Amino acid sequence: MIEKLKTLLWFSKRVNYWRHALSLIIRKFYKDKDSVHLRTQATDWAAKRYVSVPEALSSIGLYSLETKMDIKLPLSLINEAKLLAKNSKVIMGGAGDLDLLFAACKLSDAKKILETGVAYGWSSLAILASISKKNDAKLISIDMPYPKMNNEDFVGIVVSRLLREKWDLIREPDRNGIQKAISKFGGDIDLCHYDSDKSYYGRAFAYPILWNALKSGGVFISDDIQDNFAFKEFVEKKNLKFAVTKSEEKYIGILCKK
Ligand SMILES: C[S@@+](CC[C@H](N)C(=O)[O-])C[C@H]1O[C@@H](n2cnc3c(N)ncnc32)[C@H](O)[C@@H]1O
């Protein structure tokens, strides 16, 4: 009870988070789409479909399997990021498949990139490294820190100072931040990476908005699609060609908008 009151107080002090707080209350009245049972089924579904990163990029048309894949985030940036991470006083999520993100951004020549979920900023680092030499490129990231964790100062900590010029960080929940980011880009985006609210309801809210904002030929990447059936239902409802790949025990869904 005390914890619930503390959470309520945390949200009450942040006007921009009220829409998100309301959505958290409303979802409690819906059928649980994030149950352990459904998660197991969603994991099986993803496990049956996953392919290697080059195969995934090839199947959505970004890459030819005849070319040897050698598009990797420079090791010097990873080493610097590891040093920066050591300065963090809070523990946040680790890195996903950075080479996949780096390669997808490079191969699609993405310039207007939107990501949800920053934490330490591993994915932001990979994306920013991919656009570092493009004058007209930008990454807008959206991140709402986890309530009561006091981790605000450490969000994006692994991103090198030298890469931050092309970065805009919106510190708000997806519910406000996604629309703000899309507007900042003038209505359309080249690539989006979804890695924030992993619940079914969070994805069901965000996926269609991001997809609609993607320009033709744009790339959509979602992390942790094994958490629930939101990704499966999204691609099936829209009859989309997709690929699934794997990074450690997590599955990633990738689509290219035709
Ligand atoms: C898995 S971490 C992101 C990891 C990051 N992409 C990386 O590669 O380092 C998820 C982040 O999303 C944030 N988040 C969770 N729910 C959110 C929401 N509804 N809106 C915005 N950010 C959210 C969390 O606070 C956390 O910082």
Side-chain angles (χ1 to χ4, degrees), residues 77-78 80-86 118-125 154-161 163-164:
L77 283 175
I78 298 178
E80 183 191 353
K82 282 183 182 161
L83 284 177
L84 291 167
K86 280 194 182 153
V118 177
Y120 274 169
W122 290 103
S123 51
S124 318
L125 171 72
F154 303 99
V155 168
I157 194 171
V158 302
V159 178
S160 164
R161 297 275 144 209
L163 294 175
R164 290 182 177 225

PDB file of all heavy atoms in Angstrom, residues 77-78 80-86 118-125 154-161 163-164:
ATOM      1  N   LEU A  77      34.059   2.424 -29.924  1.00  0.00           N
ATOM      2  CA  LEU A  77      32.869   3.039 -29.302  1.00  0.00           C
ATOM      3  C   LEU A  77      32.308   2.141 -28.201  1.00  0.00           C
ATOM      4  O   LEU A  77      31.872   2.619 -27.157  1.00  0.00           O
ATOM      5  CB  LEU A  77      31.783   3.280 -30.360  1.00  0.00           C
ATOM      6  CG  LEU A  77      31.986   4.472 -31.286  1.00  0.00           C
ATOM      7  CD1 LEU A  77      30.903   4.513 -32.350  1.00  0.00           C
ATOM      8  CD2 LEU A  77      31.993   5.776 -30.489  1.00  0.00           C
ATOM      9  N   ILE A  78      32.353   0.836 -28.460  1.00  0.00           N
ATOM     10  CA  ILE A  78      31.837  -0.104 -27.444  1.00  0.00           C
ATOM     11  C   ILE A  78      32.718  -0.050 -26.195  1.00  0.00           C
ATOM     12  O   ILE A  78      32.227   0.001 -25.069  1.00  0.00           O
ATOM     13  CB  ILE A  78      31.773  -1.543 -27.999  1.00  0.00           C
ATOM     14  CG1 ILE A  78      30.811  -1.595 -29.189  1.00  0.00           C
ATOM     15  CG2 ILE A  78      31.335  -2.529 -26.920  1.00  0.00           C
ATOM     16  CD1 ILE A  78      30.693  -2.942 -29.866  1.00  0.00           C
ATOM     17  N   GLU A  80      34.609   2.449 -25.174  1.00  0.00           N
ATOM     18  CA  GLU A  80      34.382   3.718 -24.471  1.00  0.00           C
ATOM     19  C   GLU A  80      33.064   3.653 -23.678  1.00  0.00           C
ATOM     20  O   GLU A  80      32.992   4.087 -22.525  1.00  0.00           O
ATOM     21  CB  GLU A  80      34.318   4.872 -25.490  1.00  0.00           C
ATOM     22  CG  GLU A  80      34.146   6.226 -24.809  1.00  0.00           C
ATOM     23  CD  GLU A  80      33.822   7.358 -25.793  1.00  0.00           C
ATOM     24  OE1 GLU A  80      33.846   7.138 -27.017  1.00  0.00           O
ATOM     25  OE2 GLU A  80      33.532   8.466 -25.293  1.00  0.00           O
ATOM     26  N   ALA A  81      32.027   3.050 -24.323  1.00  0.00           N
ATOM     27  CA  ALA A  81      30.720   2.948 -23.672  1.00  0.00           C
ATOM     28  C   ALA A  81      30.805   2.102 -22.398  1.00  0.00           C
ATOM     29  O   ALA A  81      30.190   2.428 -21.383  1.00  0.00           O
ATOM     30  CB  ALA A  81      29.712   2.342 -24.648  1.00  0.00           C
ATOM     31  N   LYS A  82      31.594   1.030 -22.461  1.00  0.00           N
ATOM     32  CA  LYS A  82      31.725   0.164 -21.269  1.00  0.00           C
ATOM     33  C   LYS A  82      32.346   0.945 -20.118  1.00  0.00           C
ATOM     34  O   LYS A  82      31.958   0.804 -18.966  1.00  0.00           O
ATOM     35  CB  LYS A  82      32.567  -1.064 -21.601  1.00  0.00           C
ATOM     36  CG  LYS A  82      31.773  -2.109 -22.377  1.00  0.00           C
ATOM     37  CD  LYS A  82      32.616  -3.344 -22.625  1.00  0.00           C
ATOM     38  CE  LYS A  82      31.860  -4.376 -23.447  1.00  0.00           C
ATOM     39  NZ  LYS A  82      32.731  -5.347 -24.085  1.00  0.00           N
ATOM     40  N   LEU A  83      33.327   1.806 -20.455  1.00  0.00           N
ATOM     41  CA  LEU A  83      33.961   2.631 -19.419  1.00  0.00           C
ATOM     42  C   LEU A  83      32.951   3.618 -18.836  1.00  0.00           C
ATOM     43  O   LEU A  83      32.870   3.809 -17.626  1.00  0.00           O
ATOM     44  CB  LEU A  83      35.148   3.414 -20.001  1.00  0.00           C
ATOM     45  CG  LEU A  83      36.428   2.630 -20.248  1.00  0.00           C
ATOM     46  CD1 LEU A  83      37.481   3.520 -20.889  1.00  0.00           C
ATOM     47  CD2 LEU A  83      36.958   2.070 -18.913  1.00  0.00           C
ATOM     48  N   LEU A  84      32.158   4.244 -19.735  1.00  0.00           N
ATOM     49  CA  LEU A  84      31.148   5.206 -19.277  1.00  0.00           C
ATOM     50  C   LEU A  84      30.108   4.526 -18.390  1.00  0.00           C
ATOM     51  O   LEU A  84      29.659   5.091 -17.392  1.00  0.00           O
ATOM     52  CB  LEU A  84      30.465   5.867 -20.478  1.00  0.00           C
ATOM     53  CG  LEU A  84      31.330   6.819 -21.314  1.00  0.00           C
ATOM     54  CD1 LEU A  84      30.656   7.171 -22.640  1.00  0.00           C
ATOM     55  CD2 LEU A  84      31.628   8.096 -20.525  1.00  0.00           C
ATOM     56  N   ALA A  85      29.737   3.284 -18.757  1.00  0.00           N
ATOM     57  CA  ALA A  85      28.728   2.551 -17.975  1.00  0.00           C
ATOM     58  C   ALA A  85      29.202   2.305 -16.542  1.00  0.00           C
ATOM     59  O   ALA A  85      28.404   2.250 -15.612  1.00  0.00           O
ATOM     60  CB  ALA A  85      28.398   1.231 -18.658  1.00  0.00           C
ATOM     61  N   LYS A  86      30.526   2.197 -16.395  1.00  0.00           N
ATOM     62  CA  LYS A  86      31.064   1.937 -15.045  1.00  0.00           C
ATOM     63  C   LYS A  86      30.779   3.110 -14.100  1.00  0.00           C
ATOM     64  O   LYS A  86      30.767   2.963 -12.888  1.00  0.00           O
ATOM     65  CB  LYS A  86      32.577   1.713 -15.118  1.00  0.00           C
ATOM     66  CG  LYS A  86      32.927   0.317 -15.554  1.00  0.00           C
ATOM     67  CD  LYS A  86      34.378   0.025 -15.288  1.00  0.00           C
ATOM     68  CE  LYS A  86      34.708  -1.380 -15.778  1.00  0.00           C
ATOM     69  NZ  LYS A  86      36.089  -1.536 -16.150  1.00  0.00           N
ATOM     70  N   VAL A 118      15.514   4.276 -23.773  1.00  0.00           N
ATOM     71  CA  VAL A 118      16.947   4.604 -23.860  1.00  0.00           C
ATOM     72  C   VAL A 118      17.766   3.885 -22.782  1.00  0.00           C
ATOM     73  O   VAL A 118      18.793   3.272 -23.081  1.00  0.00           O
ATOM     74  CB  VAL A 118      17.164   6.130 -23.769  1.00  0.00           C
ATOM     75  CG1 VAL A 118      18.654   6.474 -23.786  1.00  0.00           C
ATOM     76  CG2 VAL A 118      16.467   6.856 -24.917  1.00  0.00           C
ATOM     77  N   ALA A 119      17.326   3.958 -21.514  1.00  0.00           N
ATOM     78  CA  ALA A 119      18.094   3.408 -20.383  1.00  0.00           C
ATOM     79  C   ALA A 119      19.561   3.862 -20.486  1.00  0.00           C
ATOM     80  O   ALA A 119      19.826   5.048 -20.628  1.00  0.00           O
ATOM     81  CB  ALA A 119      17.947   1.889 -20.329  1.00  0.00           C
ATOM     82  N   TYR A 120      20.525   2.942 -20.465  1.00  0.00           N
ATOM     83  CA  TYR A 120      21.931   3.352 -20.586  1.00  0.00           C
ATOM     84  C   TYR A 120      22.240   4.010 -21.936  1.00  0.00           C
ATOM     85  O   TYR A 120      23.180   4.780 -22.068  1.00  0.00           O
ATOM     86  CB  TYR A 120      22.839   2.127 -20.468  1.00  0.00           C
ATOM     87  CG  TYR A 120      23.214   1.740 -19.063  1.00  0.00           C
ATOM     88  CD1 TYR A 120      23.843   0.515 -18.822  1.00  0.00           C
ATOM     89  CD2 TYR A 120      22.984   2.568 -17.975  1.00  0.00           C
ATOM     90  CE1 TYR A 120      24.210   0.127 -17.545  1.00  0.00           C
ATOM     91  CE2 TYR A 120      23.340   2.187 -16.697  1.00  0.00           C
ATOM     92  CZ  TYR A 120      23.948   0.965 -16.490  1.00  0.00           C
ATOM     93  OH  TYR A 120      24.312   0.596 -15.231  1.00  0.00           O
ATOM     94  N   GLY A 121      21.457   3.624 -22.972  1.00  0.00           N
ATOM     95  CA  GLY A 121      21.674   4.254 -24.282  1.00  0.00           C
ATOM     96  C   GLY A 121      22.482   3.418 -25.261  1.00  0.00           C
ATOM     97  O   GLY A 121      23.045   3.950 -26.210  1.00  0.00           O
ATOM     98  N   TRP A 122      22.504   2.099 -25.087  1.00  0.00           N
ATOM     99  CA  TRP A 122      23.276   1.249 -26.013  1.00  0.00           C
ATOM    100  C   TRP A 122      22.730   1.359 -27.434  1.00  0.00           C
ATOM    101  O   TRP A 122      23.486   1.518 -28.391  1.00  0.00           O
ATOM    102  CB  TRP A 122      23.254  -0.211 -25.547  1.00  0.00           C
ATOM    103  CG  TRP A 122      24.037  -0.447 -24.312  1.00  0.00           C
ATOM    104  CD1 TRP A 122      23.549  -0.614 -23.044  1.00  0.00           C
ATOM    105  CD2 TRP A 122      25.465  -0.500 -24.189  1.00  0.00           C
ATOM    106  NE1 TRP A 122      24.577  -0.774 -22.157  1.00  0.00           N
ATOM    107  CE2 TRP A 122      25.768  -0.716 -22.834  1.00  0.00           C
ATOM    108  CE3 TRP A 122      26.517  -0.387 -25.101  1.00  0.00           C
ATOM    109  CZ2 TRP A 122      27.066  -0.825 -22.355  1.00  0.00           C
ATOM    110  CZ3 TRP A 122      27.822  -0.497 -24.634  1.00  0.00           C
ATOM    111  CH2 TRP A 122      28.082  -0.711 -23.277  1.00  0.00           C
ATOM    112  N   SER A 123      21.391   1.263 -27.546  1.00  0.00           N
ATOM    113  CA  SER A 123      20.809   1.340 -28.894  1.00  0.00           C
ATOM    114  C   SER A 123      21.002   2.741 -29.471  1.00  0.00           C
ATOM    115  O   SER A 123      21.271   2.897 -30.669  1.00  0.00           O
ATOM    116  CB  SER A 123      19.325   0.959 -28.855  1.00  0.00           C
ATOM    117  OG  SER A 123      18.647   1.687 -27.858  1.00  0.00           O
ATOM    118  N   SER A 124      20.890   3.766 -28.622  1.00  0.00           N
ATOM    119  CA  SER A 124      21.102   5.149 -29.105  1.00  0.00           C
ATOM    120  C   SER A 124      22.521   5.282 -29.648  1.00  0.00           C
ATOM    121  O   SER A 124      22.743   5.910 -30.690  1.00  0.00           O
ATOM    122  CB  SER A 124      20.913   6.153 -27.955  1.00  0.00           C
ATOM    123  OG  SER A 124      19.810   5.832 -27.162  1.00  0.00           O
ATOM    124  N   LEU A 125      23.468   4.677 -28.943  1.00  0.00           N
ATOM    125  CA  LEU A 125      24.873   4.720 -29.380  1.00  0.00           C
ATOM    126  C   LEU A 125      25.023   4.113 -30.776  1.00  0.00           C
ATOM    127  O   LEU A 125      25.659   4.709 -31.660  1.00  0.00           O
ATOM    128  CB  LEU A 125      25.741   3.954 -28.370  1.00  0.00           C
ATOM    129  CG  LEU A 125      27.189   3.710 -28.770  1.00  0.00           C
ATOM    130  CD1 LEU A 125      27.985   4.999 -28.719  1.00  0.00           C
ATOM    131  CD2 LEU A 125      27.844   2.666 -27.846  1.00  0.00           C
ATOM    132  N   PHE A 154      21.291   9.121 -15.323  1.00  0.00           N
ATOM    133  CA  PHE A 154      22.129   8.106 -15.969  1.00  0.00           C
ATOM    134  C   PHE A 154      21.558   7.613 -17.301  1.00  0.00           C
ATOM    135  O   PHE A 154      22.161   6.763 -17.963  1.00  0.00           O
ATOM    136  CB  PHE A 154      22.351   6.925 -15.007  1.00  0.00           C
ATOM    137  CG  PHE A 154      22.962   7.380 -13.721  1.00  0.00           C
ATOM    138  CD1 PHE A 154      22.186   7.588 -12.594  1.00  0.00           C
ATOM    139  CD2 PHE A 154      24.320   7.675 -13.657  1.00  0.00           C
ATOM    140  CE1 PHE A 154      22.745   8.054 -11.420  1.00  0.00           C
ATOM    141  CE2 PHE A 154      24.885   8.149 -12.489  1.00  0.00           C
ATOM    142  CZ  PHE A 154      24.092   8.342 -11.361  1.00  0.00           C
ATOM    143  N   VAL A 155      20.406   8.179 -17.688  1.00  0.00           N
ATOM    144  CA  VAL A 155      19.795   7.776 -18.965  1.00  0.00           C
ATOM    145  C   VAL A 155      20.699   8.254 -20.110  1.00  0.00           C
ATOM    146  O   VAL A 155      21.088   9.419 -20.170  1.00  0.00           O
ATOM    147  CB  VAL A 155      18.363   8.366 -19.092  1.00  0.00           C
ATOM    148  CG1 VAL A 155      17.824   8.204 -20.513  1.00  0.00           C
ATOM    149  CG2 VAL A 155      17.437   7.684 -18.097  1.00  0.00           C
ATOM    150  N   GLY A 156      21.094   7.346 -20.961  1.00  0.00           N
ATOM    151  CA  GLY A 156      21.959   7.687 -22.101  1.00  0.00           C
ATOM    152  C   GLY A 156      23.429   7.788 -21.748  1.00  0.00           C
ATOM    153  O   GLY A 156      24.234   8.275 -22.545  1.00  0.00           O
ATOM    154  N   ILE A 157      23.820   7.274 -20.593  1.00  0.00           N
ATOM    155  CA  ILE A 157      25.197   7.476 -20.091  1.00  0.00           C
ATOM    156  C   ILE A 157      26.280   6.899 -21.020  1.00  0.00           C
ATOM    157  O   ILE A 157      27.404   7.403 -21.055  1.00  0.00           O
ATOM    158  CB  ILE A 157      25.326   6.901 -18.654  1.00  0.00           C
ATOM    159  CG1 ILE A 157      26.611   7.411 -18.007  1.00  0.00           C
ATOM    160  CG2 ILE A 157      25.263   5.406 -18.632  1.00  0.00           C
ATOM    161  CD1 ILE A 157      26.725   7.084 -16.527  1.00  0.00           C
ATOM    162  N   VAL A 158      25.960   5.861 -21.792  1.00  0.00           N
ATOM    163  CA  VAL A 158      27.024   5.227 -22.610  1.00  0.00           C
ATOM    164  C   VAL A 158      27.253   5.929 -23.962  1.00  0.00           C
ATOM    165  O   VAL A 158      28.141   5.540 -24.720  1.00  0.00           O
ATOM    166  CB  VAL A 158      26.776   3.715 -22.862  1.00  0.00           C
ATOM    167  CG1 VAL A 158      26.664   2.941 -21.565  1.00  0.00           C
ATOM    168  CG2 VAL A 158      25.555   3.481 -23.732  1.00  0.00           C
ATOM    169  N   VAL A 159      26.448   6.954 -24.238  1.00  0.00           N
ATOM    170  CA  VAL A 159      26.609   7.642 -25.534  1.00  0.00           C
ATOM    171  C   VAL A 159      27.767   8.646 -25.459  1.00  0.00           C
ATOM    172  O   VAL A 159      27.754   9.561 -24.634  1.00  0.00           O
ATOM    173  CB  VAL A 159      25.305   8.365 -25.944  1.00  0.00           C
ATOM    174  CG1 VAL A 159      25.502   9.105 -27.272  1.00  0.00           C
ATOM    175  CG2 VAL A 159      24.155   7.375 -26.047  1.00  0.00           C
ATOM    176  N   SER A 160      28.741   8.452 -26.330  1.00  0.00           N
ATOM    177  CA  SER A 160      29.917   9.326 -26.363  1.00  0.00           C
ATOM    178  C   SER A 160      29.500  10.782 -26.595  1.00  0.00           C
ATOM    179  O   SER A 160      28.592  11.066 -27.373  1.00  0.00           O
ATOM    180  CB  SER A 160      30.814   8.863 -27.519  1.00  0.00           C
ATOM    181  OG  SER A 160      31.740   9.857 -27.817  1.00  0.00           O
ATOM    182  N   ARG A 161      30.168  11.701 -25.897  1.00  0.00           N
ATOM    183  CA  ARG A 161      29.901  13.159 -26.058  1.00  0.00           C
ATOM    184  C   ARG A 161      29.994  13.549 -27.536  1.00  0.00           C
ATOM    185  O   ARG A 161      29.261  14.394 -28.011  1.00  0.00           O
ATOM    186  CB  ARG A 161      30.912  14.000 -25.278  1.00  0.00           C
ATOM    187  CG  ARG A 161      30.883  13.816 -23.794  1.00  0.00           C
ATOM    188  CD  ARG A 161      29.835  14.698 -23.118  1.00  0.00           C
ATOM    189  NE  ARG A 161      29.276  13.945 -22.005  1.00  0.00           N
ATOM    190  CZ  ARG A 161      28.056  14.079 -21.531  1.00  0.00           C
ATOM    191  NH1 ARG A 161      27.215  14.938 -22.060  1.00  0.00           N
ATOM    192  NH2 ARG A 161      27.624  13.350 -20.526  1.00  0.00           N
ATOM    193  N   LEU A 163      29.088  12.099 -30.102  1.00  0.00           N
ATOM    194  CA  LEU A 163      27.978  11.683 -30.967  1.00  0.00           C
ATOM    195  C   LEU A 163      26.659  12.384 -30.630  1.00  0.00           C
ATOM    196  O   LEU A 163      25.645  12.158 -31.277  1.00  0.00           O
ATOM    197  CB  LEU A 163      27.772  10.165 -30.845  1.00  0.00           C
ATOM    198  CG  LEU A 163      28.888   9.267 -31.373  1.00  0.00           C
ATOM    199  CD1 LEU A 163      28.582   7.805 -31.068  1.00  0.00           C
ATOM    200  CD2 LEU A 163      29.072   9.449 -32.869  1.00  0.00           C
ATOM    201  N   ARG A 164      26.677  13.252 -29.610  1.00  0.00           N
ATOM    202  CA  ARG A 164      25.403  13.758 -29.096  1.00  0.00           C
ATOM    203  C   ARG A 164      24.780  14.908 -29.895  1.00  0.00           C
ATOM    204  O   ARG A 164      23.615  15.249 -29.686  1.00  0.00           O
ATOM    205  CB  ARG A 164      25.570  14.183 -27.633  1.00  0.00           C
ATOM    206  CG  ARG A 164      25.765  12.976 -26.756  1.00  0.00           C
ATOM    207  CD  ARG A 164      25.897  13.312 -25.306  1.00  0.00           C
ATOM    208  NE  ARG A 164      26.016  12.082 -24.546  1.00  0.00           N
ATOM    209  CZ  ARG A 164      25.360  11.826 -23.428  1.00  0.00           C
ATOM    210  NH1 ARG A 164      24.563  12.711 -22.917  1.00  0.00           N
ATOM    211  NH2 ARG A 164      25.544  10.667 -22.810  1.00  0.00           N
TER     212      ARG A 164
END
